[in-house]
Amino acid sequence: MLINNKSKIQKISGIHKHDMALIKAFLQGAVYCWIKNKKEGRIFTLRNLVGGKNSNWKNTPLEPLYEKHRNTGKDKKTAKKVAGQDAGKILKLVLDKDQRKFKVSDAGLTNGYKWIK
């Protein structure tokens, strides 16, 4: 559950229901791993979970987000950017439905989240 959330939770269209379920489960698992492996109270962003060394989404449940935008004619760089924005919106949805509490924080150009024990 998100606390102190000031922005609307947005839905993503153009992704098959089955793929969306896999994306949500994948992101939920990434959140569990983050919490298990990092110090309590450390803020995380989508970029921490599936960016950097983990930014190649090929053969992961996140790949359909990228492919959706490539199939609409976007170049690779733009498709990657907007797929990341979509993934961020889905992460926010996942955290809002989680039974644990997460505080929304400003993490620069994106939302950051902090698990509240």
Side-chain angles (χ1 to χ4, degrees):
M1 163 187 356
L2 292 176
I3 57 174
N4 79 317
N5 180 36
K6 296 177 184 163
S7 62
K8 182 178 163 184
I9 295 178
Q10 301 173 11
K11 294 193 178 189
I12 304 301
S13 62
I15 298 293
H16 190 275
K17 189 177 181 178
H18 174 74
D19 289 333
M20 184 60 77
L22 291 175
I23 292 166
K24 288 177 181 178
F26 185 79
L27 291 175
Q28 182 75 57
V31 169
Y32 273 80
C33 288
W34 176 269
I35 289 171
K36 177 188 172 289
N37 294 312
K38 300 295 179 181
K39 288 183 180 179
E40 181 183 337
R42 188 151 172 217
I43 294 173
F44 65 92
T45 66
L46 177 76
R47 186 173 47 242
N48 296 121
L49 304 178
V50 295
K53 293 178 183 177
N54 295 320
S55 63
N56 182 352
W57 294 357
K58 185 100 173 127
N59 298 319
T60 74
L62 299 175
E63 187 174 16
L65 292 174
Y66 173 78
E67 292 300 327
K68 173 183 95 165
H69 294 290
R70 285 293 286 155
N71 292 338
T72 62
K74 291 180 178 80
D75 61 84
K76 290 179 181 180
K77 184 178 178 180
T78 303
K80 185 173 183 175
K81 178 181 176 181
V82 292
Q85 292 168 347
D86 284 351
K89 292 171 186 173
I90 297 168
L91 174 62
K92 189 173 187 178
L93 175 68
V94 165
L95 294 176
D96 191 52
K97 294 194 182 281
D98 197 300
Q99 293 181 18
R100 296 170 297 178
K101 292 181 181 177
F102 294 89
K103 181 179 179 184
V104 181
S105 303
D106 181 17
L109 299 174
T110 187
N111 280 336
Y113 304 98
K114 180 177 161 182
W115 175 44
I116 306 299
K117 210 170 187 182

